[in-house]
Amino acid sequence: MIKINGTEQDFAGKTVADYLAENGYDIKRVAVELNEDILPKSQYEDTFLKDGDVMEVVSFVGGG
């Protein structure tokens, strides 16, 4: 299991990009922290999630 935004989820074996796409995130409008390190967008496709990982996804929203 992987803890994503504080909730245990079963996404082991999938990439960060897979998780974001399956959950409707716009990759251009998010930042991902994986195991307390900011993950560069260029690594989303190549970074596989594994049991015990902790990931935080933060969405940017515009306002005015």
Side-chain angles (χ1 to χ4, degrees):
M1 296 297 272
I2 298 154
K3 188 176 278 189
I4 302 173
N5 291 346
T7 302
E8 294 283 336
Q9 298 187 37
D10 188 20
F11 275 92
K14 294 189 177 192
T15 66
V16 171
D18 291 337
Y19 171 81
L20 295 173
E22 288 179 27
N23 288 278
Y25 287 101
D26 180 353
I27 290 176
K28 296 175 188 172
R29 301 184 63 88
V30 298
V32 173
E33 179 184 281
L34 183 62
N35 300 322
E36 299 183 358
D37 291 318
I38 300 297
L39 187 66
K41 290 183 189 312
S42 62
Q43 295 180 11
Y44 290 1
E45 291 281 337
D46 300 323
T47 302
F48 286 86
L49 298 169
K50 59 188 179 306
D51 283 335
D53 280 345
V54 176
M55 184 168 76
E56 294 290 325
V57 180
V58 178
S59 296
F60 301 107
V61 291

Short mmCIF file of all heavy atoms in Angstrom, two decimals:
data_model
loop_
_atom_site.label_atom_id
_atom_site.label_comp_id
_atom_site.label_asym_id
_atom_site.label_seq_id
_atom_site.Cartn_x
_atom_site.Cartn_y
_atom_site.Cartn_z
N MET A 1 0.84 -1.19 0.00
CA MET A 1 0.00 0.00 0.00
C MET A 1 0.89 1.26 0.00
O MET A 1 1.98 1.25 0.54
CB MET A 1 -0.91 0.03 1.22
CG MET A 1 -1.93 -1.11 1.28
SD MET A 1 -3.10 -1.08 -0.06
CE MET A 1 -4.35 -0.04 0.60
N ILE A 2 0.35 2.28 -0.58
CA ILE A 2 1.02 3.56 -0.68
C ILE A 2 0.14 4.61 -0.02
O ILE A 2 -1.08 4.60 -0.19
CB ILE A 2 1.23 3.93 -2.17
CG1 ILE A 2 2.12 2.88 -2.81
CG2 ILE A 2 1.82 5.32 -2.31
CD1 ILE A 2 1.91 2.75 -4.27
N LYS A 3 0.75 5.48 0.75
CA LYS A 3 -0.02 6.56 1.38
C LYS A 3 0.02 7.76 0.44
O LYS A 3 1.09 8.31 0.17
CB LYS A 3 0.55 6.92 2.75
CG LYS A 3 -0.34 7.90 3.50
CD LYS A 3 0.17 8.18 4.89
CE LYS A 3 -0.28 7.07 5.80
NZ LYS A 3 -0.01 7.37 7.21
N ILE A 4 -1.16 8.12 -0.08
CA ILE A 4 -1.27 9.25 -1.00
C ILE A 4 -2.19 10.28 -0.38
O ILE A 4 -3.35 10.00 -0.09
CB ILE A 4 -1.81 8.79 -2.36
CG1 ILE A 4 -0.90 7.71 -2.96
CG2 ILE A 4 -1.95 9.98 -3.32
CD1 ILE A 4 -1.42 7.06 -4.22
N ASN A 5 -1.64 11.47 -0.15
CA ASN A 5 -2.37 12.55 0.50
C ASN A 5 -3.05 12.06 1.79
O ASN A 5 -4.20 12.38 2.07
CB ASN A 5 -3.40 13.18 -0.45
CG ASN A 5 -2.73 13.95 -1.58
OD1 ASN A 5 -1.54 14.24 -1.53
ND2 ASN A 5 -3.48 14.26 -2.60
N GLY A 6 -2.31 11.24 2.54
CA GLY A 6 -2.77 10.79 3.85
C GLY A 6 -3.67 9.56 3.84
O GLY A 6 -4.09 9.10 4.90
N THR A 7 -3.98 9.00 2.67
CA THR A 7 -4.88 7.86 2.57
C THR A 7 -4.13 6.68 1.96
O THR A 7 -3.46 6.83 0.93
CB THR A 7 -6.09 8.20 1.68
OG1 THR A 7 -6.76 9.34 2.22
CG2 THR A 7 -7.07 7.05 1.61
N GLU A 8 -4.26 5.50 2.58
CA GLU A 8 -3.65 4.29 2.04
C GLU A 8 -4.36 3.89 0.75
O GLU A 8 -5.59 3.80 0.71
CB GLU A 8 -3.75 3.14 3.05
CG GLU A 8 -2.94 3.37 4.31
CD GLU A 8 -1.45 3.12 4.13
OE1 GLU A 8 -1.06 2.37 3.21
OE2 GLU A 8 -0.68 3.70 4.91
N GLN A 9 -3.58 3.67 -0.32
CA GLN A 9 -4.15 3.28 -1.60
C GLN A 9 -3.28 2.21 -2.24
O GLN A 9 -2.09 2.11 -1.95
CB GLN A 9 -4.26 4.49 -2.54
CG GLN A 9 -5.19 5.57 -1.99
CD GLN A 9 -5.43 6.67 -2.99
OE1 GLN A 9 -5.54 6.44 -4.18
NE2 GLN A 9 -5.51 7.89 -2.50
N ASP A 10 -3.88 1.40 -3.10
CA ASP A 10 -3.17 0.30 -3.74
C ASP A 10 -2.76 0.68 -5.15
O ASP A 10 -3.45 0.35 -6.12
CB ASP A 10 -4.04 -0.96 -3.73
CG ASP A 10 -3.29 -2.18 -4.20
OD1 ASP A 10 -2.04 -2.17 -4.16
OD2 ASP A 10 -3.94 -3.16 -4.60
N PHE A 11 -1.66 1.39 -5.29
CA PHE A 11 -1.15 1.79 -6.60
C PHE A 11 0.27 1.28 -6.83
O PHE A 11 0.96 1.74 -7.73
CB PHE A 11 -1.20 3.32 -6.77
CG PHE A 11 -2.53 3.81 -7.24
CD1 PHE A 11 -3.50 4.20 -6.33
CD2 PHE A 11 -2.82 3.89 -8.58
CE1 PHE A 11 -4.73 4.65 -6.75
CE2 PHE A 11 -4.06 4.33 -9.02
CZ PHE A 11 -5.01 4.71 -8.10
N ALA A 12 0.72 0.33 -6.01
CA ALA A 12 2.07 -0.22 -6.18
C ALA A 12 2.21 -0.81 -7.58
O ALA A 12 1.30 -1.44 -8.10
CB ALA A 12 2.33 -1.28 -5.13
N GLY A 13 3.36 -0.55 -8.21
CA GLY A 13 3.62 -1.06 -9.54
C GLY A 13 3.21 -0.13 -10.66
O GLY A 13 3.54 -0.36 -11.82
N LYS A 14 2.49 0.93 -10.33
CA LYS A 14 2.09 1.91 -11.35
C LYS A 14 3.03 3.11 -11.25
O LYS A 14 3.65 3.36 -10.22
CB LYS A 14 0.65 2.37 -11.14
CG LYS A 14 -0.35 1.25 -11.36
CD LYS A 14 -1.75 1.75 -11.36
CE LYS A 14 -2.70 0.59 -11.66
NZ LYS A 14 -4.03 1.06 -11.95
N THR A 15 3.10 3.87 -12.33
CA THR A 15 3.94 5.07 -12.30
C THR A 15 3.17 6.23 -11.68
O THR A 15 1.94 6.21 -11.57
CB THR A 15 4.40 5.48 -13.71
OG1 THR A 15 3.26 5.89 -14.47
CG2 THR A 15 5.15 4.36 -14.41
N VAL A 16 3.91 7.25 -11.32
CA VAL A 16 3.29 8.47 -10.81
C VAL A 16 2.36 9.04 -11.89
O VAL A 16 1.24 9.46 -11.60
CB VAL A 16 4.37 9.50 -10.39
CG1 VAL A 16 3.74 10.85 -10.08
CG2 VAL A 16 5.15 8.97 -9.18
N ALA A 17 2.80 9.02 -13.15
CA ALA A 17 1.97 9.52 -14.25
C ALA A 17 0.68 8.72 -14.36
O ALA A 17 -0.39 9.29 -14.60
CB ALA A 17 2.74 9.47 -15.57
N ASP A 18 0.75 7.39 -14.18
CA ASP A 18 -0.46 6.56 -14.21
C ASP A 18 -1.44 6.99 -13.13
O ASP A 18 -2.63 7.16 -13.39
CB ASP A 18 -0.12 5.07 -13.97
CG ASP A 18 0.64 4.44 -15.11
OD1 ASP A 18 0.57 4.94 -16.25
OD2 ASP A 18 1.32 3.42 -14.85
N TYR A 19 -0.93 7.17 -11.92
CA TYR A 19 -1.80 7.58 -10.81
C TYR A 19 -2.48 8.92 -11.12
O TYR A 19 -3.69 9.06 -10.96
CB TYR A 19 -1.02 7.70 -9.49
CG TYR A 19 -1.86 8.33 -8.42
CD1 TYR A 19 -2.79 7.58 -7.72
CD2 TYR A 19 -1.78 9.70 -8.17
CE1 TYR A 19 -3.62 8.18 -6.78
CE2 TYR A 19 -2.61 10.30 -7.23
CZ TYR A 19 -3.52 9.54 -6.54
OH TYR A 19 -4.34 10.13 -5.61
N LEU A 20 -1.69 9.88 -11.59
CA LEU A 20 -2.24 11.21 -11.86
C LEU A 20 -3.31 11.15 -12.95
O LEU A 20 -4.38 11.75 -12.81
CB LEU A 20 -1.12 12.17 -12.25
CG LEU A 20 -0.09 12.47 -11.16
CD1 LEU A 20 1.06 13.28 -11.73
CD2 LEU A 20 -0.72 13.17 -9.96
N ALA A 21 -3.04 10.40 -14.01
CA ALA A 21 -4.01 10.29 -15.11
C ALA A 21 -5.29 9.60 -14.65
O ALA A 21 -6.40 10.06 -14.97
CB ALA A 21 -3.39 9.53 -16.28
N GLU A 22 -5.16 8.52 -13.90
CA GLU A 22 -6.33 7.76 -13.45
C GLU A 22 -7.19 8.55 -12.46
O GLU A 22 -8.37 8.25 -12.30
CB GLU A 22 -5.89 6.45 -12.80
CG GLU A 22 -5.39 5.44 -13.80
CD GLU A 22 -4.94 4.13 -13.17
OE1 GLU A 22 -5.46 3.78 -12.09
OE2 GLU A 22 -4.06 3.47 -13.76
N ASN A 23 -6.60 9.56 -11.84
CA ASN A 23 -7.34 10.34 -10.86
C ASN A 23 -7.68 11.74 -11.33
O ASN A 23 -8.09 12.59 -10.54
CB ASN A 23 -6.57 10.37 -9.54
CG ASN A 23 -6.64 9.02 -8.86
OD1 ASN A 23 -7.62 8.71 -8.19
ND2 ASN A 23 -5.63 8.18 -9.07
N GLY A 24 -7.52 11.99 -12.64
CA GLY A 24 -7.98 13.23 -13.24
C GLY A 24 -7.14 14.46 -12.97
O GLY A 24 -7.61 15.58 -13.13
N TYR A 25 -5.89 14.27 -12.57
CA TYR A 25 -5.02 15.42 -12.34
C TYR A 25 -4.46 15.94 -13.66
O TYR A 25 -4.14 15.16 -14.55
CB TYR A 25 -3.84 15.05 -11.43
CG TYR A 25 -4.20 14.84 -9.98
CD1 TYR A 25 -4.35 13.57 -9.46
CD2 TYR A 25 -4.37 15.93 -9.13
CE1 TYR A 25 -4.66 13.36 -8.13
CE2 TYR A 25 -4.68 15.74 -7.79
CZ TYR A 25 -4.83 14.46 -7.30
OH TYR A 25 -5.14 14.28 -5.98
N ASP A 26 -4.33 17.25 -13.77
CA ASP A 26 -3.67 17.89 -14.90
C ASP A 26 -2.19 18.02 -14.52
O ASP A 26 -1.85 18.79 -13.62
CB ASP A 26 -4.28 19.26 -15.17
CG ASP A 26 -3.65 20.00 -16.33
OD1 ASP A 26 -2.62 19.54 -16.87
OD2 ASP A 26 -4.18 21.07 -16.69
N ILE A 27 -1.34 17.27 -15.17
CA ILE A 27 0.08 17.22 -14.81
C ILE A 27 0.71 18.61 -14.80
O ILE A 27 1.61 18.88 -14.02
CB ILE A 27 0.84 16.25 -15.74
CG1 ILE A 27 0.41 14.82 -15.43
CG2 ILE A 27 2.35 16.40 -15.58
CD1 ILE A 27 1.02 13.77 -16.32
N LYS A 28 0.22 19.51 -15.64
CA LYS A 28 0.77 20.86 -15.70
C LYS A 28 0.42 21.67 -14.47
O LYS A 28 1.05 22.69 -14.20
CB LYS A 28 0.24 21.59 -16.94
CG LYS A 28 0.68 20.96 -18.23
CD LYS A 28 0.04 21.66 -19.41
CE LYS A 28 0.33 20.92 -20.69
NZ LYS A 28 -0.43 21.44 -21.82
N ARG A 29 -0.59 21.23 -13.71
CA ARG A 29 -1.08 22.03 -12.59
C ARG A 29 -0.91 21.35 -11.24
O ARG A 29 -1.63 21.66 -10.29
CB ARG A 29 -2.54 22.38 -12.81
CG ARG A 29 -2.76 23.17 -14.11
CD ARG A 29 -4.19 23.61 -14.28
NE ARG A 29 -4.62 24.50 -13.23
CZ ARG A 29 -4.49 25.83 -13.24
NH1 ARG A 29 -3.93 26.40 -14.27
NH2 ARG A 29 -4.94 26.55 -12.26
N VAL A 30 0.06 20.42 -11.14
CA VAL A 30 0.31 19.74 -9.86
C VAL A 30 1.80 19.73 -9.55
O VAL A 30 2.64 19.87 -10.43
CB VAL A 30 -0.22 18.29 -9.84
CG1 VAL A 30 -1.71 18.24 -10.02
CG2 VAL A 30 0.50 17.42 -10.84
N ALA A 31 2.09 19.53 -8.28
CA ALA A 31 3.44 19.24 -7.81
C ALA A 31 3.33 17.94 -7.01
O ALA A 31 2.32 17.70 -6.33
CB ALA A 31 3.96 20.36 -6.92
N VAL A 32 4.35 17.09 -7.13
CA VAL A 32 4.34 15.81 -6.45
C VAL A 32 5.55 15.72 -5.53
O VAL A 32 6.68 16.00 -5.94
CB VAL A 32 4.38 14.64 -7.47
CG1 VAL A 32 4.53 13.30 -6.77
CG2 VAL A 32 3.11 14.66 -8.32
N GLU A 33 5.26 15.35 -4.29
CA GLU A 33 6.32 15.05 -3.34
C GLU A 33 6.27 13.55 -3.08
O GLU A 33 5.21 13.01 -2.75
CB GLU A 33 6.08 15.81 -2.04
CG GLU A 33 7.15 15.53 -0.99
CD GLU A 33 6.82 16.23 0.32
OE1 GLU A 33 7.07 17.44 0.42
OE2 GLU A 33 6.31 15.56 1.23
N LEU A 34 7.39 12.87 -3.26
CA LEU A 34 7.46 11.43 -3.05
C LEU A 34 8.54 11.15 -2.01
O LEU A 34 9.71 11.49 -2.22
CB LEU A 34 7.77 10.71 -4.37
CG LEU A 34 7.80 9.19 -4.32
CD1 LEU A 34 6.44 8.63 -3.91
CD2 LEU A 34 8.22 8.62 -5.66
N ASN A 35 8.11 10.58 -0.90
CA ASN A 35 9.03 10.25 0.20
C ASN A 35 9.85 11.47 0.63
O ASN A 35 11.07 11.41 0.78
CB ASN A 35 9.93 9.07 -0.17
CG ASN A 35 9.12 7.84 -0.48
OD1 ASN A 35 8.11 7.57 0.17
ND2 ASN A 35 9.53 7.09 -1.48
N GLU A 36 9.15 12.59 0.77
CA GLU A 36 9.69 13.85 1.28
C GLU A 36 10.62 14.58 0.31
O GLU A 36 11.32 15.51 0.69
CB GLU A 36 10.36 13.66 2.64
CG GLU A 36 9.39 13.15 3.69
CD GLU A 36 10.02 13.03 5.06
OE1 GLU A 36 11.23 13.30 5.22
OE2 GLU A 36 9.28 12.66 5.99
N ASP A 37 10.64 14.17 -0.95
CA ASP A 37 11.41 14.87 -1.98
C ASP A 37 10.48 15.29 -3.11
O ASP A 37 9.63 14.52 -3.53
CB ASP A 37 12.51 13.96 -2.56
CG ASP A 37 13.63 13.67 -1.58
OD1 ASP A 37 14.05 14.60 -0.87
OD2 ASP A 37 14.07 12.51 -1.52
N ILE A 38 10.69 16.51 -3.63
CA ILE A 38 9.92 16.97 -4.78
C ILE A 38 10.36 16.15 -5.99
O ILE A 38 11.55 16.01 -6.26
CB ILE A 38 10.15 18.48 -5.04
CG1 ILE A 38 9.72 19.31 -3.83
CG2 ILE A 38 9.42 18.92 -6.31
CD1 ILE A 38 8.25 19.22 -3.49
N LEU A 39 9.38 15.62 -6.70
CA LEU A 39 9.66 14.81 -7.88
C LEU A 39 9.53 15.68 -9.13
O LEU A 39 8.46 16.25 -9.39
CB LEU A 39 8.68 13.64 -7.95
CG LEU A 39 8.93 12.60 -9.03
CD1 LEU A 39 10.23 11.85 -8.76
CD2 LEU A 39 7.77 11.62 -9.09
N PRO A 40 10.60 15.82 -9.92
CA PRO A 40 10.50 16.62 -11.15
C PRO A 40 9.48 16.00 -12.12
O PRO A 40 9.37 14.78 -12.23
CB PRO A 40 11.91 16.53 -11.74
CG PRO A 40 12.80 16.15 -10.60
CD PRO A 40 11.95 15.30 -9.70
N LYS A 41 8.75 16.85 -12.80
CA LYS A 41 7.74 16.39 -13.76
C LYS A 41 8.35 15.44 -14.79
O LYS A 41 7.70 14.51 -15.25
CB LYS A 41 7.07 17.57 -14.45
CG LYS A 41 6.18 18.38 -13.53
CD LYS A 41 5.50 19.49 -14.29
CE LYS A 41 4.77 20.47 -13.42
NZ LYS A 41 3.90 19.93 -12.41
N SER A 42 9.59 15.65 -15.14
CA SER A 42 10.25 14.80 -16.14
C SER A 42 10.41 13.36 -15.66
O SER A 42 10.67 12.47 -16.48
CB SER A 42 11.63 15.37 -16.48
OG SER A 42 12.47 15.39 -15.33
N GLN A 43 10.22 13.11 -14.37
CA GLN A 43 10.36 11.75 -13.83
C GLN A 43 9.03 11.06 -13.56
O GLN A 43 9.02 9.90 -13.13
CB GLN A 43 11.19 11.80 -12.55
CG GLN A 43 12.62 12.23 -12.79
CD GLN A 43 13.44 12.27 -11.52
OE1 GLN A 43 13.03 11.80 -10.48
NE2 GLN A 43 14.62 12.87 -11.62
N TYR A 44 7.90 11.72 -13.80
CA TYR A 44 6.60 11.12 -13.50
C TYR A 44 6.38 9.81 -14.26
O TYR A 44 5.85 8.86 -13.72
CB TYR A 44 5.45 12.08 -13.83
CG TYR A 44 5.30 13.29 -12.94
CD1 TYR A 44 6.16 13.56 -11.89
CD2 TYR A 44 4.29 14.20 -13.18
CE1 TYR A 44 6.01 14.68 -11.09
CE2 TYR A 44 4.12 15.33 -12.38
CZ TYR A 44 4.99 15.56 -11.35
OH TYR A 44 4.82 16.67 -10.55
N GLU A 45 6.79 9.78 -15.54
CA GLU A 45 6.57 8.59 -16.39
C GLU A 45 7.46 7.42 -15.99
O GLU A 45 7.12 6.27 -16.23
CB GLU A 45 6.83 8.93 -17.85
CG GLU A 45 5.82 9.85 -18.47
CD GLU A 45 4.53 9.17 -18.86
OE1 GLU A 45 4.52 7.94 -19.05
OE2 GLU A 45 3.50 9.88 -18.96
N ASP A 46 8.62 7.70 -15.39
CA ASP A 46 9.61 6.67 -15.11
C ASP A 46 9.68 6.26 -13.64
O ASP A 46 10.47 5.39 -13.29
CB ASP A 46 11.00 7.15 -15.54
CG ASP A 46 11.06 7.46 -17.03
OD1 ASP A 46 10.42 6.74 -17.81
OD2 ASP A 46 11.74 8.44 -17.40
N THR A 47 8.90 6.91 -12.78
CA THR A 47 8.95 6.61 -11.36
C THR A 47 7.81 5.70 -10.98
O THR A 47 6.64 6.07 -11.05
CB THR A 47 8.89 7.91 -10.52
OG1 THR A 47 9.98 8.76 -10.91
CG2 THR A 47 8.98 7.62 -9.04
N PHE A 48 8.17 4.47 -10.59
CA PHE A 48 7.17 3.48 -10.19
C PHE A 48 6.94 3.55 -8.69
O PHE A 48 7.89 3.67 -7.91
CB PHE A 48 7.63 2.07 -10.59
CG PHE A 48 7.52 1.82 -12.06
CD1 PHE A 48 8.54 2.19 -12.92
CD2 PHE A 48 6.37 1.24 -12.59
CE1 PHE A 48 8.42 1.98 -14.29
CE2 PHE A 48 6.24 1.03 -13.95
CZ PHE A 48 7.28 1.40 -14.80
N LEU A 49 5.67 3.49 -8.30
CA LEU A 49 5.30 3.51 -6.89
C LEU A 49 5.48 2.11 -6.32
O LEU A 49 5.22 1.12 -6.98
CB LEU A 49 3.85 3.97 -6.75
CG LEU A 49 3.59 5.39 -7.26
CD1 LEU A 49 2.09 5.66 -7.33
CD2 LEU A 49 4.29 6.41 -6.39
N LYS A 50 5.95 2.07 -5.06
CA LYS A 50 6.15 0.78 -4.41
C LYS A 50 5.58 0.82 -3.00
O LYS A 50 5.38 1.90 -2.43
CB LYS A 50 7.62 0.39 -4.42
CG LYS A 50 8.54 1.38 -3.72
CD LYS A 50 9.99 1.01 -3.96
CE LYS A 50 10.94 1.97 -3.30
NZ LYS A 50 10.77 3.35 -3.60
N ASP A 51 5.32 -0.37 -2.46
CA ASP A 51 4.77 -0.46 -1.11
C ASP A 51 5.62 0.34 -0.13
O ASP A 51 6.85 0.29 -0.18
CB ASP A 51 4.72 -1.93 -0.64
CG ASP A 51 3.57 -2.69 -1.27
OD1 ASP A 51 2.56 -2.06 -1.65
OD2 ASP A 51 3.66 -3.92 -1.37
N GLY A 52 4.94 1.10 0.71
CA GLY A 52 5.61 1.91 1.72
C GLY A 52 5.90 3.34 1.29
O GLY A 52 6.28 4.16 2.12
N ASP A 53 5.71 3.66 0.00
CA ASP A 53 5.94 5.03 -0.45
C ASP A 53 4.90 5.96 0.16
O ASP A 53 3.77 5.56 0.47
CB ASP A 53 5.82 5.14 -1.97
CG ASP A 53 7.08 4.69 -2.71
OD1 ASP A 53 8.14 4.56 -2.06
OD2 ASP A 53 7.00 4.49 -3.93
N VAL A 54 5.30 7.21 0.32
CA VAL A 54 4.39 8.26 0.78
C VAL A 54 4.44 9.36 -0.27
O VAL A 54 5.51 9.91 -0.56
CB VAL A 54 4.81 8.82 2.16
CG1 VAL A 54 3.90 9.96 2.57
CG2 VAL A 54 4.81 7.72 3.21
N MET A 55 3.28 9.67 -0.86
CA MET A 55 3.21 10.66 -1.91
C MET A 55 2.17 11.72 -1.56
O MET A 55 1.10 11.41 -1.07
CB MET A 55 2.84 10.00 -3.25
CG MET A 55 2.83 10.93 -4.43
SD MET A 55 2.76 10.10 -6.03
CE MET A 55 1.04 9.62 -6.09
N GLU A 56 2.54 12.96 -1.82
CA GLU A 56 1.61 14.08 -1.67
C GLU A 56 1.47 14.74 -3.04
O GLU A 56 2.46 14.99 -3.72
CB GLU A 56 2.13 15.11 -0.66
CG GLU A 56 2.23 14.61 0.76
CD GLU A 56 0.86 14.39 1.41
OE1 GLU A 56 -0.07 15.16 1.12
OE2 GLU A 56 0.75 13.46 2.22
N VAL A 57 0.23 14.98 -3.44
CA VAL A 57 -0.05 15.66 -4.70
C VAL A 57 -0.74 16.98 -4.36
O VAL A 57 -1.77 16.99 -3.69
CB VAL A 57 -0.95 14.81 -5.61
CG1 VAL A 57 -1.21 15.54 -6.93
CG2 VAL A 57 -0.33 13.44 -5.87
N VAL A 58 -0.14 18.07 -4.84
CA VAL A 58 -0.71 19.39 -4.58
C VAL A 58 -1.13 19.99 -5.90
O VAL A 58 -0.35 20.06 -6.84
CB VAL A 58 0.35 20.31 -3.91
CG1 VAL A 58 -0.22 21.70 -3.67
CG2 VAL A 58 0.83 19.70 -2.61
N SER A 59 -2.39 20.41 -5.98
CA SER A 59 -2.92 21.04 -7.20
C SER A 59 -2.85 22.55 -7.06
O SER A 59 -3.14 23.10 -5.99
CB SER A 59 -4.38 20.63 -7.42
OG SER A 59 -4.47 19.27 -7.66
N PHE A 60 -2.49 23.21 -8.14
CA PHE A 60 -2.46 24.66 -8.18
C PHE A 60 -3.78 25.15 -8.78
O PHE A 60 -4.22 24.63 -9.79
CB PHE A 60 -1.29 25.15 -9.03
CG PHE A 60 0.04 24.69 -8.53
CD1 PHE A 60 0.74 23.71 -9.20
CD2 PHE A 60 0.59 25.22 -7.37
CE1 PHE A 60 1.97 23.26 -8.74
CE2 PHE A 60 1.81 24.78 -6.89
CZ PHE A 60 2.50 23.81 -7.59
N VAL A 61 -4.37 26.13 -8.14
CA VAL A 61 -5.61 26.71 -8.65
C VAL A 61 -5.41 28.21 -8.80
O VAL A 61 -4.76 28.85 -7.98
CB VAL A 61 -6.82 26.41 -7.75
CG1 VAL A 61 -7.19 24.94 -7.80
CG2 VAL A 61 -6.56 26.82 -6.32
N GLY A 62 -5.96 28.74 -9.87
CA GLY A 62 -5.87 30.18 -10.09
C GLY A 62 -6.97 30.92 -9.34
O GLY A 62 -7.97 30.35 -8.98
N GLY A 63 -6.74 32.13 -9.10
CA GLY A 63 -7.74 32.94 -8.42
C GLY A 63 -7.54 34.40 -8.78
O GLY A 63 -6.62 34.76 -9.50
N GLY A 64 -8.36 35.20 -8.20
CA GLY A 64 -8.18 36.60 -8.55
C GLY A 64 -8.92 37.51 -7.66
O GLY A 64 -9.51 37.32 -6.71
#
